[in-house]
Amino acid sequence: MTDQQKFAELHPDTLAVRSAVERSQYGENSEALYLTSGYVQTSAASAAARFAGDEDGFTYGRYGNPTVTSFEQRLAGMEGAEACISTASGMSAILMMCMGLLQSGDHVVCSQSMFGSTIKLIGSDLAKFGVQSSFVSQTDIDDWKAAVRPNTKLLFAETPTNPLTEVCDIAALAEIAHKAGALVAVDNCFATPALQKPMAFGADIVMHSGTKFLDGQGRVMAGALCASQKLVTEKFLPVLKSGGMTLAPFNAWVVLKGMETLDIRMRAQSAQALALAQWLLSHPQVDRVHYPGLESHPQHRLALAQQSNLGGAVLSVSIKADSPEHARARAFHVLDSMQVLSLSTNLGDTKTLVAHPASTSHGRLTETQRQAAGVVQGLIRISVGLEHLDDIKNDLLRGLDSLI
Ligand SMILES: *Cc1c(COP(=O)(O)O)cnc(C)c1O
């Protein structure tokens, strides 16, 4: 039985701890970390065949590595994808996707609520190379439909979004895209395959920042695209070979091992996030709580239907204030009063990370782009970790109860 046949019969939980390249002759139980930039070839003819793509085998570190392949196989298995190709970071996965699929004159439709750097990359950097883009409402399907043009090649959404946790209907986007002869890609960083498998709703490409929940302990940068074997081989691998946004084997190994606990972490952290969101709702200084697991969330039902009934581990809260300046000062006060939680712009860690999106992750956007994304000055994002819930609450109360 080949590895692929063996894995095809297993459940995602099993794949999360088992899927990897074959053991070496030493029979290691934990997957080996292959730190090598080159490979010794058995013959000149075999080397030629491998470089030509006629024979399987590793040729050079920029093109592939067994530890990196293990990570890719594992993520593909968990997403229910045919194939996966990894990159040095989440952003370089988006760059690879765009370079592989688009050329000058092509058009992309994105949600205006996407990750700040994604908006910058597609809206500004790629525009320099003639790629057109439209940024539409995350939640209004008619807006997506209206934005599609004859030259639209890609619809790209993130669900839930960072930091407002707005949810979009993946199946509806897939229908619009496919009718227009375009592909639909989903940034699945927030939900992860433990909660949401976009391909089951018709997505063609699932993009990941392995830096977040897949690693889960805030150690390394990583990224990936899951897609059909054809897209990976024909569109993305050539960009990797010439562009060189290769995932380092050590980073691949760290994330590979992190993924073994993804499911239990996502369940535990989602439960903590829901309890924290409910508690924050009742605090007198809190204006709004954005969390898909709350019934007050505008797309609560859709979120639960797409996300295995769980809201995920990230929530955002806006602090009451009289003006944007006041809101910013009050949000800063809550952050600066913390003694236990981390003031950090990362997310997806076992440690609770708290950030002020308007001045950090979304700081490079223009005020108009920031308003469109709903990132107000009083907004605080919390990536809920595994500390005791009472300690998380108490650390937030230090600032919330002493606001002026
Ligand atoms: C962090 C993040 C990215 C970018 O990933 P990096 O690994 O930091 O490059 C993309 N999308 C979302 C939703 C993210 O949170």
Side-chain angles (χ1 to χ4, degrees), residues 87-94 113-118 156 158-162 187-190 207-213 220-224 345-348 381:
T87 52
S89 67
M91 288 319 301
S92 57
I94 301 177
S113 314
M114 290 191 93
F115 187 61
S117 297
T118 307
F156 187 24
E158 180 185 313
T159 184
T161 55
N162 178 16
D187 178 334
N188 203 24
C189 284
F190 267 51
M207 173 257 144
H208 271 287
S209 163
T211 317
K212 311 295 169 57
F213 291 102
V220 298
M221 306 289 299
T345 316
N346 196 9
L347 62 93
R381 185 188 73 195

Side-chain angles (χ1 to χ4, degrees), residues 36 45 70 79 146 194 285 299 338 342:
T36 181
S70 291
E79 285 288 0
Q285 297 295 350
Q299 297 114 355
M338 300 185 311
S342 307

Side-chain angles (χ1 to χ4, degrees), residues 4-340:
Q4 228 148 18
Q5 285 167 331
K6 188 171 81 189
F7 292 143
E9 295 168 5
L10 300 173
H11 294 88
D13 316 19
T14 312
L15 295 176
V17 295
R18 290 281 168 190
S19 185
V21 297
E22 285 166 39
R23 289 194 176 98
S24 78
Q25 70 272 34
Y26 300 115
E28 67 281 351
N29 183 48
S30 170
E31 295 75 9
L33 166 53
Y34 292 95
L35 283 181
T36 181
S37 47
Y39 303 87
V40 179
Q41 306 298 329
T42 50
S43 70
S46 161
R50 287 180 177 191
F51 271 90
D54 297 332
E55 183 184 302
D56 277 346
F58 293 99
T59 52
Y60 182 55
R62 180 163 15 96
Y63 300 0
N65 171 285
T67 309
V68 172
T69 302
S70 291
F71 164 65
E72 292 168 344
Q73 287 184 353
R74 190 166 286 186
L75 187 57
M78 292 167 74
E79 285 288 0
E82 244 174 53
C84 169
I85 184 163
S86 55
T87 52
S89 67
M91 288 319 301
S92 57
I94 301 177
L95 180 63
M96 172 196 271
M97 174 171 76
C98 293
M99 286 184 70
L101 298 179
L102 306 170
Q103 60 184 34
S104 175
D106 286 346
H107 176 244
V108 187
V109 187
C110 288
S111 158
Q112 67 195 7
S113 314
M114 290 191 93
F115 187 61
S117 297
T118 307
I119 294 177
K120 220 47 191 173
L121 176 67
I122 294 177
S124 306
D125 298 323
L126 290 176
K128 288 196 297 191
F129 300 95
V131 171
Q132 303 163 15
S133 52
S134 303
F135 291 88
V136 300
S137 156
Q138 167 82 357
T139 52
D140 184 351
I141 287 298
D142 289 337
D143 220 16
W144 288 85
K145 228 180 255 173
V148 172
R149 304 174 188 168
N151 57 339
T152 302
K153 293 286 157 48
L154 181 68
L155 271 62
F156 187 24
E158 180 185 313
T159 184
T161 55
N162 178 16
L164 292 184
T165 73
E166 289 178 321
V167 175
C168 76
D169 187 334
I170 301 171
L173 290 194
E175 200 186 317
I176 296 170
H178 296 156
K179 229 178 240 168
L183 298 176
V184 57
V186 173
D187 178 334
N188 203 24
C189 284
F190 267 51
T192 81
L195 268 53
Q196 171 174 278
K197 295 185 175 60
M199 288 190 165
F201 300 99
D204 303 289
I205 301 161
V206 179
M207 173 257 144
H208 271 287
S209 163
T211 317
K212 311 295 169 57
F213 291 102
L214 300 185
D215 169 8
Q217 291 162 73
R219 298 167 293 192
V220 298
M221 306 289 299
L225 298 175
C226 294
S228 65
Q229 188 65 59
K230 189 173 160 66
L231 277 180
V232 167
T233 309
E234 293 177 10
K235 301 291 184 188
F236 303 145
L237 186 59
V239 179
L240 179 79
K241 286 184 170 181
S242 48
M245 58 277 274
T246 309
L247 177 60
F250 177 76
N251 293 6
W253 182 80
V254 170
V255 182
L256 179 76
K257 301 308 285 177
M259 285 159 73
E260 296 181 7
T261 55
L262 179 68
D263 193 77
I264 56 171
R265 280 188 283 109
M266 288 309 290
R267 282 173 201 288
Q269 290 175 235
S270 292
Q272 297 251 83
L274 176 61
L276 189 67
Q278 283 163 339
W279 173 81
L280 280 165
L281 268 183
S282 63
H283 194 281
Q285 297 295 350
V286 166
D287 183 31
R288 287 186 64 185
V289 181
H290 305 267
Y291 183 65
L294 290 178
E295 271 174 37
S296 57
H297 189 282
Q299 297 114 355
H300 176 63
R301 276 167 184 279
L302 173 62
L304 294 193
Q306 276 181 173
Q307 297 174 207
S308 315
N309 273 319
L310 292 170
V314 181
L315 60 94
S316 284
V317 52
S318 58
I319 307 297
K320 283 184 187 160
D322 307 327
S323 66
E325 295 71 33
H326 187 217
R328 185 181 173 106
R330 295 189 116 206
F332 277 23
H333 174 77
V334 174
L335 300 184
D336 290 336
S337 303
M338 300 185 311
Q339 293 175 10
V340 178

